């Protein structure tokens, strides 16, 4: 037995080796390790970890079952609250949520809740365990738009309550950001995402791919012509942002969305893929969030030297600490306090580099972070043949612009109640990035959950 | 799966396929497009809708071999069904928004280059259904690749075919025909809609600028998702960045930066070329040229 103040370490693929492949970085706990880690849980009466979880999983409850070796029981406890435990165990920012609240964390390290959740979900998947369905059919139809984290959660919860749920997905594969956005090496598509979606299907949820709501059919038509009693909009924040600097349309400048969609959804990281991806020698990724890390680490695995270019300092990097750590281990170069001002290209329009300036941190701005200001005379050129813009995304206006009476704010985010997802239009609920702008998987799931409750209350009137 | 109910070879490298796609056919309009994937490993390929049948729930697509994927798709007309068809994508043609009075008050000429004849057809057909017969110039390199001529004649006013090599119809580029019609044959047009290769659209726009004819073009850049998500299709129109998939595909041709748009279509040409070679050479492809990895 190790030190109770320290997490049982989790096995990872060696940094040098993984920098050349797309296999998962983190290898997870085995049962012995999981049980040892579970025994660190103090089983607090007033479990603060549950308060830190956007979907309020009974965390001490499932951990006690792990400790006792009842993994199936542990899975059913998690499933009561979460439709995607194998995903969340991998991509949730536990350090600021459940683990951030853990009493163990005061003197030492928090219990590794995320890794335990992942172990339980993977174990259930290997043993063919499915979530239990109990409710009787209610005879009412709900349409869910988008099959990302919020949509899958909302659909799963409603199906468990007995509603007849159909998910409409615009792309050819369900999963939303789990499929097009997050790379294979963080979230395996076949073994993890596809299986969790299968579990949602096994609850009775229908998924129709290749349907673009607002183009193929509108929300008003779903309600008036197709007989849906309520609609949940979980269409995410899919529109990429660019900097608006000169040269941004040069050949070799991509949005992180495009680069990642090619690699993740279209599998262009594989040699035999029919979808091409730029073969780069030196890549500059502009931005410092999780998506920037994902794009950078993808480019690295495709054989490039990769620089993260971020205008503030390391402390302000919005990416999870674990992702930054992994990126550094793999050899990503961080050009911090650096801001591009122009993209340079050759006479045929191909990127040759970026004109950048050095920044220093001044007084705090509205966000409370110190505002970066340009260092006079610091201009220099960073050579690169590829630039990936990872500056965040905003909601797609396709749905709001084609739905009568659906209120949006100035950022084109749908206005919806945090408590129950209700929008300005009766019977239409919304949640996830479509409402908040780009955020995390688990926050979207929390919103999907709240909206499922809201829809249930609306349809029970 | 989206069953293909009719397929024909229109020309050597151009195939027509009518496919079941009820969610597209129920509301699609002239000017819009779909994205298809031929199988579960297929690339997402954008194709303009050539015709649709709301009753049958089908759309007609015309596919020209431009790379390895379209070669795979059309090879020996063997494909029985598409794995995916999504749409309708993009905005309908502005003509659809106009009233009959507005339409009747204007004389419209369409310039269709090569495969561009396919997306021009539904617009001309739509106008015909509203009682307006537009003129159409169909241009092609040579006689064998003139497509949809009879179909077009059935719905258009005058159809002028011109071939680069003079093997059929008039001789020369579409710009020559358009210039002759206006300057020598007394035609007057209030609007030109040009759809075809970018280089053709660029030169049509140059001409119509001097002729003072407002011109709409339909842009066909590289796309991935087709819903505004990736930005691969961004083009510059009047100094502003636009996404062809959601803001277009039709734009004011006199404001489009064609040189940039044409450069952007070159992005994957080297890779595409190699993929095409590998496909053609099959097992005999050994990469001995030293350029292949």
């Amino acid at each position: 037995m190790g030190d109770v103040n320290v997490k049982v370490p989790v096995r990872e693929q060696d940094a040098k080796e993984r920098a050349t492949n797309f296999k998962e970085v983190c290898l997870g706990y085995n049962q012995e390790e999981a049980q040892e880690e579970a025994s660190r849980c103090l089983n607090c009466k007033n479990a603060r970890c549950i308060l830190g979880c956007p979907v309020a999983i009974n965390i001490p409850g499932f951990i006690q079952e792990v400790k006792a070796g009842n993994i199936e029981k542990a899975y059913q406890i998690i499933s009561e609250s979460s439709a995607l435990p194998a995903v969340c165990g991998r991509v949730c920012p536990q350090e600021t949520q459940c683990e951030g609240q853990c009493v163990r964390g005061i003197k030492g390290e928090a219990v590794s809740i995320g890794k335990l959740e992942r172990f339980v979900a993977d174990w259930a998947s290997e043993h063919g365990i499915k979530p239990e369905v109990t409710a009787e059919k209610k005879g009412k139809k709900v349409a869910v738009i988008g099959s990302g984290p919020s949509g899958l959660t909302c659909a799963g919860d409603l199906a468990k309550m007995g509603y007849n749920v159909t998910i409409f997905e615009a792309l050819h594969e369900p999963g939303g950001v789990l499929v097009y956005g997050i790379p294979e090496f963080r979230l395996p598509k076949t073994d993890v995402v596809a299986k969790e979606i299968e579990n949602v299907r096994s609850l009775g949820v229908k998924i129709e791919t290749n349907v673009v709501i607002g183009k193929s059919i509108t929300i008003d038509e779903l309600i008036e012509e197709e007989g849906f009693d309520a609609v949940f909009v979980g269409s995410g924040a899919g529109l990429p942002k660019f900097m608006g600097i000169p040269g941004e349309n040069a050949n070799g400048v991509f949005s992180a969305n495009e680069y990642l969609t090619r690699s993740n959804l279209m599998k262009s990281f594989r040699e035999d893929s029919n979808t091409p991806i730029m073969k780069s020698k030196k890549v500059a990724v502009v931005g410092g969030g999780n998506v920037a890390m994902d794009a950078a680490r993808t480019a690295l695995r495709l054989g490039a030297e990769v620089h993260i270019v971020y205008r503030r300092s390391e402390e302000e990097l919005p990416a999870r600490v674990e992702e930054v750590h992994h990126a550094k281990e793999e050899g990503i170069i961080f050009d911090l306090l650096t801001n591009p001002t122009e993209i340079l290209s050759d006479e045929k329009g191909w990127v040759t580099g970026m004109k950048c300036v050095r920044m220093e941190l001044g007084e705090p701005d509205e966000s409370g972070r110190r505002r970066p200001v340009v260092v006079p005379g610091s201009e220099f050129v960073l050579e690169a043949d590829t630039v990936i813009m990872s500056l965040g995304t905003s909601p797609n206006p396709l749905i709001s612009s084609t739905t009568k009476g659906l209120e949006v704010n100035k950022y084109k985010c749908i206005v919806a109640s945090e408590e129950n997802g209700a929008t300005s239009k009766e019977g239409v609920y919304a949640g996830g990035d479509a409402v908040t702008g780009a955020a995390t998987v688990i926050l979207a799931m929390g919103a999907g959950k709240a909206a499922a409750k809201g829809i249930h209350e609306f349809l029970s009137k | 799966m989206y069953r293909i109910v009719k397929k024909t070879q229109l020309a050597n490298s151009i195939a027509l396929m009518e496919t079941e796609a009820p969610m597209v056919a129920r509301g699609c309009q002239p000017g819009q497009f779909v994205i298809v994937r031929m199988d579960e490993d297929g690339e997402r390929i954008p194709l303009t809708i050539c015709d649709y049948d709301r009753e049958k729930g089908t759309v007609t697509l015309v596919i020209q071999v431009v790379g390895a994927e379209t070669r795979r798709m059309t090879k020996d007309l063997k494909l029985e069904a598409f794995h995916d068809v999504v749409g309708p994508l993009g905005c309908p043609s502005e003509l659809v928004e106009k009233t009959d009075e507005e339409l009747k008050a204007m004389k419209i000429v369409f310039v269709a280059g090569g495969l561009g004849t396919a997306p021009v057809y539904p617009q001309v057909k739509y106008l015909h259904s509203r009682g307006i017969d537009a003129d159409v110039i169909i241009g092609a390199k040579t006689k064998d690749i003139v497509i949809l001529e009879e179909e077009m004649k059935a719905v258009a006013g005058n159809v002028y075919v011109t071939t680069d090599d003079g093997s059929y119809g008039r001789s020369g580029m579409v710009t020559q025909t358009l210039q002759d019609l206006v300057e020598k044959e007394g035609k007057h047009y209030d609007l030109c809609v040009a759809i075809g290769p970018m280089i053709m659209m660029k030169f049509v726009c140059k001409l119509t600028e001097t002729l003072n004819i407002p011109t709409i073009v339909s842009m066909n850049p590289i796309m991935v998702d087709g819903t505004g998500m990736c930005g691969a299709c961004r083009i510059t129109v009047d100094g502003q960045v636009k996404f062809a998939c959601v803001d277009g595909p039709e734009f004011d041709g006199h404001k489009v930066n064609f040189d940039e748009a044409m450069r952007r279509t070159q992005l994957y040409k080297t890779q595409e070329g190699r993929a095409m070679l590998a496909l053609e050479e099959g097992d005999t492809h050994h990469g001995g040229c030293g350029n292949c990895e």
Side-chain angles (χ1 to χ4, degrees):
Chain A
M1 195 73 150
D3 182 351
V4 290
N5 282 323
V6 182
K7 286 179 179 182
V8 172
V10 68
R11 287 165 290 116
E12 285 178 353
Q13 232 199 115
D14 176 70
K16 269 205 190 112
E17 195 175 308
R18 72 178 192 243
T20 60
N21 68 47
F22 277 83
K23 287 184 213 139
E24 200 174 7
V25 170
C26 177
L27 303 173
Y29 286 148
N30 59 31
Q31 185 158 345
E32 194 186 333
E33 292 161 336
Q35 282 182 273
E36 189 187 336
E37 180 63 18
S39 70
R40 293 181 62 231
C41 174
L42 300 170
N43 197 12
C44 306
K45 268 215 183 87
N46 290 316
R48 299 197 310 183
C49 51
I50 301 180
L51 301 176
C53 174
V55 296
I57 293 173
N58 177 0
I59 292 166
F62 97 76
I63 292 184
Q64 292 313 302
E65 296 299 341
V66 174
K67 188 175 157 188
N70 302 325
I71 314 301
E72 182 170 351
K73 187 77 210 308
Y75 177 71
Q76 296 303 350
I77 292 175
I78 297 175
S79 295
E80 283 167 20
S81 311
S82 172
L84 309 168
V87 170
C88 290
R90 288 171 166 85
V91 302
C92 266
Q94 288 99 6
E95 64 279 8
T96 59
Q97 297 180 343
C98 53
E99 294 181 21
Q101 302 279 333
C102 179
V103 172
R104 274 279 185 214
I106 299 171
K107 275 194 180 164
E109 290 180 353
V111 173
S112 198
I113 300 167
K115 302 289 187 281
L116 287 174
E117 180 186 28
R118 168 188 162 144
F119 163 74
V120 170
D122 288 357
W123 186 94
S125 162
E126 276 161 36
H127 290 78
I129 316 279
K130 302 256 167 203
E132 287 165 1
V133 213
T134 43
E136 52 189 270
K137 291 278 165 224
K138 290 212 164 48
K140 284 189 175 158
K141 280 168 74 178
V142 182
V144 169
I145 299 166
S147 62
S150 70
L152 288 171
T153 302
C154 187
D157 275 19
L158 287 167
K160 280 192 221 161
M161 293 180 219
Y163 292 99
N164 183 345
V165 185
T166 305
I167 300 182
F168 296 98
E169 166 57 45
L171 290 171
H172 57 260
E173 221 179 289
V177 75
L178 307 175
V179 168
Y180 74 75
I182 305 176
E184 186 74 20
F185 54 84
R186 278 218 292 141
L187 189 61
K189 305 298 161 234
T190 313
D191 290 344
V192 177
V193 180
K195 282 190 179 157
E196 301 236 283
I197 291 170
E198 219 26 67
N199 284 346
V200 173
R201 275 204 176 104
S202 75
L203 296 170
V205 172
K206 270 186 281 186
I207 303 182
E208 288 202 29
T209 54
N210 294 327
V211 181
V212 185
I213 302 297
K215 287 286 180 189
S216 311
I217 188 164
T218 63
I219 289 184
D220 293 309
E221 288 168 334
L222 285 175
I223 296 170
E224 286 156 24
E225 295 171 23
E226 303 293 320
F228 284 95
D229 300 292
V231 177
F232 173 74
V233 184
S235 50
L239 288 196
K241 288 183 186 147
F242 289 91
M243 289 187 81
I245 58 175
E248 239 174 342
N249 281 1
N251 284 3
V253 184
F254 304 94
S255 70
N257 258 8
E258 178 184 355
Y259 196 74
L260 289 170
T261 300
R262 284 181 181 275
S263 181
N264 301 334
L265 176 71
M266 304 312 296
K267 312 282 177 226
S268 59
F269 69 88
R270 291 197 323 225
E271 274 299 314
D272 63 349
S273 171
N274 291 303
T275 302
I277 193 162
M278 179 95 168
K279 295 226 192 305
S280 314
K281 290 199 170 67
K282 191 166 170 182
V283 177
V285 178
V286 183
N290 287 319
V291 176
M293 300 303 141
D294 286 345
R297 295 168 71 195
T298 296
L300 180 99
R301 282 162 171 76
L302 291 171
E305 175 187 317
V306 184
H307 292 242
I308 291 265
V309 176
Y310 179 59
R311 65 195 181 121
R312 299 182 199 246
S313 74
E314 174 147 5
E315 209 171 296
E316 288 84 16
L317 279 172
R320 286 182 68 197
V321 174
E322 182 180 326
E323 302 307 324
V324 176
H325 171 72
H326 279 152
K328 281 188 175 167
E329 271 187 346
E330 290 163 11
I332 306 280
I333 300 158
F334 282 74
D335 294 336
L336 301 168
L337 291 166
T338 303
N339 203 30
T341 54
E342 184 181 348
I343 290 161
L344 307 171
S345 50
D346 64 18
E347 69 283 359
K348 286 187 172 163
W350 291 82
V351 172
T352 56
M354 278 198 311
K355 228 181 241 178
C356 299
V357 285
R358 301 281 184 207
M359 311 294 281
E360 59 190 4
L361 295 179
E363 295 301 308
D365 61 13
E366 319 84 67
S367 72
R369 297 182 297 179
R370 293 174 66 195
R371 187 194 299 274
V373 276
V374 178
V375 177
S378 63
E379 198 174 274
F380 71 102
V381 171
L382 176 69
E383 277 178 28
D385 58 12
T386 304
V387 175
I388 300 173
M389 291 294 176
S390 179
L391 311 159
T393 52
S394 54
N396 198 320
L398 254 182
I399 285 177
S400 50
S401 66
T402 55
T403 310
K404 275 176 253 154
L406 189 63
E407 198 189 319
V408 292
N409 68 18
K410 63 175 173 177
Y411 303 108
K412 303 268 185 254
C413 297
I414 299 171
V415 177
S417 150
E418 213 173 298
E419 197 190 324
N420 63 13
T423 67
S424 58
K425 190 177 170 80
E426 188 175 58
V428 178
Y429 291 73
D433 286 3
V435 170
T436 57
T440 61
V441 168
I442 189 69
L443 283 175
M445 289 176 62
K449 213 168 180 55
K453 248 179 89 199
I455 290 171
H456 174 57
E457 278 159 20
F458 168 69
L459 293 179
S460 307
K461 267 186 215 161
Chain B
M1 296 295 264
Y2 300 76
R3 205 163 55 93
I4 295 166
V5 295
K6 184 182 148 194
K7 45 190 172 181
T8 43
Q9 197 76 44
L10 293 183
N12 189 19
S13 61
I14 303 176
L16 176 146
M17 297 186 191
E18 183 182 348
T19 180
E20 287 175 346
M23 285 305 262
V24 181
R26 67 187 290 283
C28 64
Q29 298 281 1
Q32 292 187 296
F33 66 96
V34 294
I35 284 184
V36 303
R37 292 202 317 147
M38 63 173 288
D39 55 29
E40 61 178 342
D41 298 316
E43 186 179 1
R44 292 174 68 93
I45 301 288
L47 296 168
T48 319
I49 298 166
C50 173
D51 205 356
Y52 48 87
D53 188 327
R54 303 216 197 281
E55 308 269 286
K56 274 163 71 188
T58 61
V59 292
T60 300
L61 307 170
V62 176
I63 307 159
Q64 181 171 32
V65 176
V66 290
E69 190 71 356
T70 39
R71 165 71 53 89
R72 226 160 58 83
M73 208 176 272
T74 53
K75 195 159 196 317
D76 305 327
L77 289 182
K78 269 191 187 146
L79 195 66
E80 298 291 332
F82 287 105
H83 195 275
D84 302 283
V85 178
V86 61
L89 300 169
C91 301
S93 159
E94 270 179 41
L95 294 173
V96 177
E97 313 286 328
K98 294 200 189 303
T99 62
D100 284 358
E101 287 66 42
E102 286 174 308
L103 289 173
K104 279 185 180 132
M106 60 205 296
K107 191 79 189 131
I108 307 170
V109 62
F110 286 85
V111 180
L115 188 74
T117 315
V120 160
Y121 174 70
Q123 301 204 20
V124 177
K125 185 178 168 187
Y126 170 83
L127 290 175
H128 183 68
S129 77
R130 304 279 291 263
I132 293 120
D133 289 332
D135 284 357
V136 182
I137 300 169
I138 298 178
K141 278 202 177 104
T142 184
K143 183 185 177 188
D144 297 342
I145 49 175
V146 174
I147 59 169
L148 303 171
E149 185 189 355
E150 291 313 310
E151 289 83 347
M152 198 68 85
K153 279 182 175 159
V155 293
N158 302 299
V159 174
Y160 309 95
V161 179
T162 178
T163 49
D164 295 1
D165 62 1
S167 55
Y168 183 60
R170 299 178 179 221
S171 177
M173 306 280 181
V174 288
T175 40
Q176 188 61 55
T177 300
L178 181 58
Q179 192 166 9
D180 289 348
L181 286 173
V182 174
E183 290 179 350
K184 296 185 186 156
E185 296 167 49
K187 289 281 184 179
H188 169 81
Y189 296 114
D190 303 297
L191 178 71
C192 169
V193 179
I195 308 180
M198 281 194 200
I199 185 86
M200 178 209 91
M201 294 192 285
K202 174 184 167 174
F203 283 102
V204 170
C205 287
K206 276 197 162 176
L207 172 66
T208 56
E209 235 167 343
T210 65
L211 297 175
N212 228 346
I213 306 173
T215 301
I216 302 287
V217 295
S218 178
M219 299 301 283
N220 49 351
I222 294 171
M223 286 187 189
V224 185
D225 64 288
T227 62
M229 218 178 79
C230 79
C233 66
R234 60 193 192 278
I235 58 172
T236 304
V237 183
D238 204 13
Q240 304 276 318
V241 175
K242 298 281 178 191
F243 288 5
C245 69
V246 286
D247 299 322
E250 296 193 357
F251 294 98
D252 178 342
H254 293 159
K255 294 182 174 160
V256 169
N257 182 338
F258 281 106
D259 293 337
E260 177 190 273
M262 283 190 282
R263 275 203 304 271
R264 289 184 60 78
T265 63
Q266 299 300 309
L267 246 171
Y268 298 105
K269 279 283 184 255
T270 316
Q271 287 179 57
E272 262 301 319
R274 283 178 193 165
M276 190 81 156
L277 263 181
L279 193 73
E280 278 167 8
E281 296 179 0
D283 292 339
T284 64
H285 182 81
H286 53 72
C289 61
N291 288 320
C292 295
E293 280 138 29

